Amino acid sequence: MKKLALDDEILLKVEKPARYLGNEYNAVVKDPASVDIRFAMCFPDVYEIGMSYLGIQIIYDMLNRRDDVYCERLYSPWMDLDQIMRERNIPLFALESQDPIKNFDFLAITLQYEMCYTNVLQILDLSQIPLKASERTTEHPFVIGGGPCAYNPEPLADFFDIFYIGEGETVYYELMDCYKLWKKNGGNRRDFLMEAAKISGIYVPSLYEVSYKEDGTIDAFTPAAASVPEKVKKQVVTDLSNTYYPSNPVVPFIKVTQDRIVLEIQRGCIRGCRFCQAGNVYRPNRERNLEFLKKYAHDMLTSTGHEEISLSSLSSSDYSDLEALTTYLIEEFGQKQGVNISLPSLRIDAFSLDVMRQVQDVRKSSLTFAPEAGSQRMRDIINKGLTEDDIFGGAMQAFKGGWNRVKLYFMLGLPGETYDDIEGIAKLSNEIAALYYTIPKDERPGARVDVVSSTSFFVPKPFTPFQWVPQNTTEQFKDKQHFLSKKMKEQLNRKSMRYNWHDFDLTALEGFLARGDRRVGEVIYKAYKKGCMFDSWSEYFYYDRWTESMEEAGIDPAFYTGRERSLDEILPWDFIDAGVTKEFLWREYTQSKNEAVTPNCRMQCSGCGCRVYEGGVCFEGEN
């Protein structure tokens, strides 16, 4: 039996020690001495969050199919263990072998959310790996970053050797082969990075130079050598029905955020919401075929013992075979085995409601709508593709179908927003509640309706049509939230309505990090040194430490959040070719100012640039 990295005395002191034991069901066990490459896959948050992420399960399964690679997992130690490891100088370890990460060849960290950036430094620090890539030698692992936040990697450029731009199933094998050849031939760290940079989709920040103008904007972003590409092209899996997917996902010992099978039915989205980064960077929309999904649903249920299947997608309703798939899952697993079927990201229509009625207890559940904005004008500006008739029609169908709890999601601070649009959120919430009471009493699913409206604050993200716009200040967000709260209390059906909102300071920081350049890295470094970690957890978020770090680094956050950018400004992420062109994004930005709607991808091609990937919705109906 393997020796644990933590002894019993420590495990008895910390919360949920099973986070650190490894040896879960379906975890891969190899002899480390029998492989050529040790690869550590990390989610920089607590185990329960990271174990719910499908991306790591896919890469874990894919790399472990190779006999010469051993891929293991690690997550951020919670604050109690973090303190003990520092006091006792215990190096951070992988779950499978319990070996120190510093002895691995690669440490790959997925970047899902800007608020995890200080946890990246925690991982490096506890692993006893130099925080700055420039200070590492051939004795240290190569540190790779990937995931949605890698579409603007510049705030973290100082800390990573490599960024992987795009979907992980594409060039990881090529990178592993490149590493083996480098090890065989010998050479220094830069030699490998120079070779890695030649692989499509691989960005090596140390091989690029950035210069700035007097006004602080970027003057030039240039490769440091002729063999290094000027543009790094996003990697995409064009055929999702002939690629890697885990038949035997790792089953956690303890309850995690999503304790279920995740069946990814498609990638990308046809909708084109102008605020949505995922909808742009994951283009083109690509579907997995029905037989593939049936097979993996069966295999994963058999190999895990889970009692729920969740269909994963940005917009599940747009999956072409949704009716056939859900019918199969309900008949094969729901009715025969009592397996729950979860369908998030659905538009509320008759079919969706019928399916949900079959797979969940209506009396215990609530339905979620995401109008995003309170007025039709604002929904057109953001290209939501949702009319008031759609919203009211869906709500009435839900009420008649047995639901009396509805969650509504909106955003405050959208470009072009007025206080009339904000008041529209309160009015729309009230009208949905009023709709419920038009149903005869004896036909209602309950005595009263419960309408819960929640607002998040808009953060402009790279590779969206709104990447050029200024973000609202904290004061503006506060004022808008207070205004909406007051308007909610004025509504006739206020007793049937509740209102929740997001944190102001967290939003301000997210916006600062989302569109930052390399200079922002110094702020992240200083904030970490002041004790910032787990910033997405409210009990550990200290905004004052971040503002102090900004002042010490001589950086004004308003430069990154508070100004409108021009079309000719070089943006920190312009060196990435994400498929969607800058011309298309600017055109969509102009469309938003004209309050004009762009049809979805199935209705009409908008010429976004993603046809170059030669797959998915762009080629539907073509021979």
Side-chain angles (χ1 to χ4, degrees):
M1 185 177 176
K2 69 184 179 188
K3 186 179 186 300
L4 295 177
L6 305 175
D7 61 31
D8 289 352
E9 179 211 346
I10 294 174
L11 291 170
L12 289 169
K13 283 182 179 179
V14 299
E15 181 184 341
K16 299 182 182 177
R19 289 167 170 163
Y20 314 110
L21 298 177
N23 207 34
E24 304 102 318
Y25 192 68
N26 289 338
V28 175
V29 178
K30 293 185 180 183
D31 176 6
S34 70
V35 300
D36 298 317
I37 300 173
R38 303 288 302 277
F39 193 101
M41 194 77 216
C42 171
F43 194 101
D45 206 327
V46 72
Y47 177 91
E48 294 93 304
I49 304 292
M51 275 297 289
S52 302
Y53 175 57
L54 176 63
I56 284 185
Q57 296 265 18
I58 291 175
I59 303 301
Y60 180 81
D61 175 78
M62 180 187 82
L63 289 178
N64 279 320
R65 293 187 190 191
R66 287 182 57 143
D67 293 335
D68 57 349
V69 178
Y70 190 8
C71 181
E72 305 181 49
R73 296 164 297 124
L74 71 150
Y75 307 93
S76 286
W78 191 238
M79 296 298 267
D80 50 4
L81 181 58
D82 178 280
Q83 182 180 349
I84 293 171
M85 293 180 76
R86 292 175 194 274
E87 290 171 352
R88 303 194 186 186
N89 197 33
I90 301 171
L92 188 56
F93 51 92
L95 291 184
E96 280 75 3
S97 65
Q98 301 280 299
D99 289 341
I101 298 301
K102 63 182 178 181
N103 297 333
F104 280 55
D105 299 292
F106 290 95
L107 167 58
I109 304 175
T110 185
L111 305 169
Q112 293 294 311
Y113 182 35
E114 291 84 358
M115 294 301 103
C116 288
Y117 285 2
T118 50
N119 277 53
V120 169
L121 301 195
Q122 177 212 24
I123 294 290
L124 295 172
D125 208 3
L126 290 179
S127 298
Q128 300 174 5
I129 298 169
L131 299 186
K132 301 285 182 74
S134 59
E135 297 171 3
R136 295 176 200 142
T137 70
T138 51
E139 301 302 311
H140 298 113
F142 287 98
V143 181
I144 306 175
C149 290
Y151 285 97
N152 178 21
E154 289 303 276
L156 293 171
D158 289 345
F159 312 114
F160 282 86
D161 299 293
I162 292 169
F163 287 95
Y164 185 117
I165 310 299
E167 296 171 352
E169 300 97 322
T170 50
V171 298
Y172 257 127
Y173 275 17
E174 191 176 346
L175 185 63
M176 296 300 100
D177 292 339
C178 177
Y179 177 79
K180 285 179 67 175
L181 186 61
W182 171 75
K183 285 287 281 187
K184 179 182 176 182
N185 294 337
N188 60 32
R189 199 172 181 87
R190 184 180 172 86
D191 291 335
F192 171 70
L193 294 174
M194 288 289 291
E195 290 303 310
K198 297 175 185 177
I199 300 173
S200 190
I202 298 297
Y203 167 52
V204 179
S206 64
L207 300 182
Y208 293 78
E209 296 170 351
V210 190
S211 58
Y212 301 92
K213 298 177 181 178
E214 285 189 14
D215 64 1
T217 60
I218 294 173
D219 182 43
F221 189 96
T222 53
S227 62
V228 177
E230 288 187 11
K231 284 265 189 181
V232 179
K233 186 176 181 180
K234 173 187 79 173
Q235 298 302 290
V236 162
V237 180
T238 52
D239 185 357
L240 285 178
S241 299
N242 287 288
T243 187
Y244 304 98
Y245 205 78
S247 296
N248 305 289
V250 181
V251 181
F253 279 141
I254 59 177
K255 185 170 178 58
V256 298
T257 309
Q258 294 186 24
D259 210 356
R260 64 194 72 137
I261 283 167
V262 179
L263 200 60
E264 184 187 44
I265 60 176
Q266 62 183 357
R267 286 185 193 166
C269 184
I270 64 170
R271 293 287 148 186
C273 297
R274 293 177 180 133
F275 59 85
C276 181
Q277 185 186 48
N280 283 286
V281 299
Y282 294 146
R283 289 186 179 207
N285 180 246
R286 293 145 289 146
E287 299 186 344
R288 299 189 192 271
N289 71 39
L290 190 57
E291 294 310 309
F292 177 99
L293 295 171
K294 287 180 180 180
K295 175 187 183 303
Y296 276 92
H298 177 272
D299 290 352
M300 289 192 290
L301 278 173
T302 302
S303 69
T304 64
H306 279 308
E307 297 177 342
E308 183 172 344
I309 299 175
S310 177
L311 303 188
S312 172
S313 167
L314 291 175
S315 179
S316 298
S317 296
D318 295 320
Y319 177 63
S320 301
D321 285 323
L322 185 64
E323 185 166 1
L325 176 62
T326 51
T327 299
Y328 171 81
L329 294 176
I330 290 167
E331 291 178 353
E332 190 69 23
F333 305 118
Q335 295 171 359
K336 295 179 182 177
Q337 301 178 34
V339 172
N340 293 323
I341 315 297
S342 171
L343 295 94
S345 307
L346 282 176
R347 287 195 306 280
I348 306 304
D349 54 27
F351 165 69
S352 301
L353 292 170
D354 182 58
V355 170
M356 283 186 275
R357 198 178 299 112
Q358 293 181 64
V359 300
Q360 65 184 24
D361 185 344
V362 172
R363 295 179 184 276
K364 295 180 181 177
S365 66
S366 59
L367 274 183
T368 300
F369 295 78
E372 309 293 0
S375 68
Q376 192 57 49
R377 186 187 82 89
M378 276 309 308
R379 286 192 292 276
D380 290 345
I381 286 175
I382 64 176
N383 209 47
K384 180 62 183 174
L386 196 64
T387 67
E388 212 161 74
D389 286 346
D390 294 330
I391 296 167
F392 291 143
M396 182 57 89
Q397 286 188 51
F399 297 149
K400 289 183 175 179
W403 280 268
N404 68 331
R405 283 186 283 180
V406 173
K407 293 179 181 176
L408 302 174
Y409 286 107
F410 300 94
M411 280 188 283
L412 290 176
L414 288 162
E417 179 183 71
T418 68
Y419 278 84
D420 285 343
D421 298 315
I422 297 170
E423 185 175 0
I425 295 173
K427 289 180 176 178
L428 185 64
S429 304
N430 178 69
E431 287 167 5
I432 288 175
L435 202 62
Y436 183 80
Y437 297 113
T438 64
I439 301 171
K441 282 186 178 181
D442 58 342
E443 296 177 20
R444 295 176 198 165
R448 55 182 292 171
V449 69
D450 185 19
V451 177
V452 182
S453 298
S454 300
T455 55
S456 61
F457 299 116
F458 170 66
V459 176
K461 292 291 178 85
F463 294 107
T464 69
F466 294 148
Q467 65 182 359
W468 290 279
V469 306
Q471 181 176 324
N472 281 189
T473 64
T474 300
E475 290 68 31
Q476 287 172 318
F477 281 139
K478 285 181 180 176
D479 187 60
K480 290 179 177 183
Q481 183 272 312
H482 291 152
F483 173 81
L484 178 55
S485 185
K486 177 174 175 288
K487 290 299 176 183
M488 286 283 193
K489 293 171 184 173
E490 292 174 359
Q491 300 305 309
L492 188 64
N493 291 289
R494 58 189 173 274
K495 290 184 179 179
S496 297
M497 297 160 53
R498 287 184 287 153
Y499 174 45
N500 302 320
W501 59 90
H502 199 57
D503 183 89
F504 307 109
D505 292 335
L506 199 71
T507 303
L509 180 58
E510 182 184 344
F512 170 69
L513 296 174
R515 291 190 291 175
D517 53 33
R518 287 195 182 188
R519 295 169 292 189
V520 166
E522 187 62 19
V523 177
I524 298 170
Y525 179 80
K526 289 180 180 294
Y528 171 71
K529 288 297 185 181
K530 292 177 185 293
C532 289
M533 286 186 289
F534 291 100
D535 295 296
S536 59
W537 298 74
S538 57
E539 64 266 42
Y540 292 113
F541 179 55
Y542 303 103
Y543 191 54
D544 56 334
R545 297 179 186 176
W546 278 96
T547 55
E548 287 171 14
S549 300
M550 293 172 195
E551 290 171 11
E552 290 174 10
I555 286 182
D556 178 6
F559 175 79
Y560 299 97
T561 59
R563 64 185 180 86
E564 182 157 7
R565 291 146 173 77
S566 64
L567 176 59
D568 60 359
E569 178 177 337
I570 297 175
L571 304 175
W573 50 91
D574 273 352
F575 69 92
I576 296 174
D577 176 359
V580 288
T581 64
K582 199 170 184 179
E583 293 73 23
F584 163 74
L585 295 174
W586 184 264
R587 190 164 69 242
E588 280 296 288
Y589 181 29
T590 304
Q591 285 278 81
S592 77
K593 290 180 176 180
N594 295 332
E595 301 176 15
V597 173
T598 299
N600 74 58
C601 296
R602 283 210 171 98
M603 293 173 65
Q604 177 185 313
C605 177
S606 56
C608 72
C610 285
R611 277 185 67 90
V612 296
Y613 290 106
E614 299 183 352
V617 67
C618 305
F619 291 84
E620 283 181 4
E622 295 189 14
N623 294 326

